[in-house]
Amino acid sequence: MKKIIIVIMTMFIFLSGSMQVYASDAIAYGDTGSSAVASNTDSTPQTVISSYTTYIASILTSSNFDSQRYALDYPDLGANGLTTKKQLYTHFMNYGIYEGRTVHSTSRATEAKLKAAYLLPGIVAGASTQAEMVRKVHDWICRNLDYDYTCYAGYLAGNYSVNAESYSYVGAMNNGIAVCQGYAETFALFMNILGIPASVVSGKAYYDGGGSPHSWNEVRCDGVLYCIDCCWDDPTLVDYTGNRVYDPNYLTYEYFMLSPEQMAVSHHKTS
């Protein structure tokens, strides 16, 4: 379920002289190379850098390691005699990960997790508290994910195979689109890498008098339990003609860091 906000004419967003339809490109990290990670380390808490390197080492295995991509991205390794999958994997685990080299996986799920891990230092750069990290992750998700209306239409029709990845972090991180469960899983994924306890909550959400199945998050920040709904804080803007309007900077904090009691006004938890 997605929250819809009708915008009046004075709120039309014009980019390059024309109204933009709500859309998104897939999220990528490989093109930025190792500098994308290294450039953020000066303002990124050392605990985060340690967390993401440890996390990458824990999810990457010799079987899901994309050795061909690693060799292509770093030809210096082949020039130094490292050509087999075992040699390349060993190099990354022992040296490359600490040198800031990026790596890819042949598994869609692991690739999504790797993208999250590589993006995280830049996302939380400058944060000094858990609360600041949580807000930065919330804002990044709202600005970089788009709601998958095709998947939702399939859901309403009882066809759950339509864009099935959008129900999870796999679609969110690999394709840049998700439904509410994908938003929630992505937030939980980032929190997991940071070591901040968080879970995906399922239930019903109510808006404009109607209720629908929905997913959101609970997070324990600095020892206090809060509720967050990134999906509803990334509202769809609709103009008077019914067209969805794109504005990557439009987000709200209406469902950010609420107490369970506050969240229960509109979100009824079942699991």
Side-chain angles (χ1 to χ4, degrees), residues 133-135 137-139 141 145 169 181-194 196-200 216-219 228 230 256-257:
M133 292 183 193
V134 169
R135 181 186 60 78
V137 168
H138 164 276
D139 292 358
I141 289 174
L145 296 189
Y169 66 88
Q181 185 173 330
Y183 274 77
E185 284 196 10
T186 302
F187 179 84
L189 171 61
F190 280 119
M191 293 299 106
N192 180 35
I193 301 172
L194 287 169
I196 299 175
S199 61
V200 176
W216 60 97
N217 294 101
E218 288 182 345
V219 58
I228 294 176
C230 294
F256 178 71
M257 300 287 270

Side-chain angles (χ1 to χ4, degrees), residues 10 65 67 103 136 159 181 228 244 265:
T10 55
F65 169 68
S67 59
V103 69
K136 284 176 175 285
N159 187 353
Q181 185 173 330
I228 294 176
R244 292 192 294 274
V265 173

Side-chain angles (χ1 to χ4, degrees), residues 224-258:
V224 180
L225 184 65
Y226 295 99
C227 299
I228 294 176
D229 189 344
C230 294
C231 182
W232 274 23
D233 274 350
D234 179 22
T236 297
L237 303 180
V238 178
D239 67 20
Y240 74 98
T241 67
N243 290 322
R244 292 192 294 274
V245 182
Y246 176 67
D247 182 0
N249 294 313
Y250 189 94
L251 69 156
T252 71
Y253 296 92
E254 188 175 355
Y255 302 96
F256 178 71
M257 300 287 270
L258 300 184

Side-chain angles (χ1 to χ4, degrees), residues 136-159:
K136 284 176 175 285
V137 168
H138 164 276
D139 292 358
W140 185 91
I141 289 174
C142 291
R143 290 191 173 111
N144 288 276
L145 296 189
D146 286 345
Y147 193 81
D148 189 347
Y149 291 94
T150 301
C151 177
Y152 184 59
Y155 166 80
L156 292 177
N159 187 353

Side-chain angles (χ1 to χ4, degrees), residues 1 4 10 20 22 28 40 68 74 88 99 131-132 145 149 163 171 177 203 205 221 233 238 252:
M1 181 181 177
I4 307 293
T10 55
Q20 303 297 302
Y22 209 73
N40 291 309
Q68 292 183 342
Y74 303 105
L88 292 167
E99 294 169 355
E132 289 176 352
L145 296 189
Y149 291 94
N163 290 3
I177 54 177
C221 181
D233 274 350
V238 178
T252 71

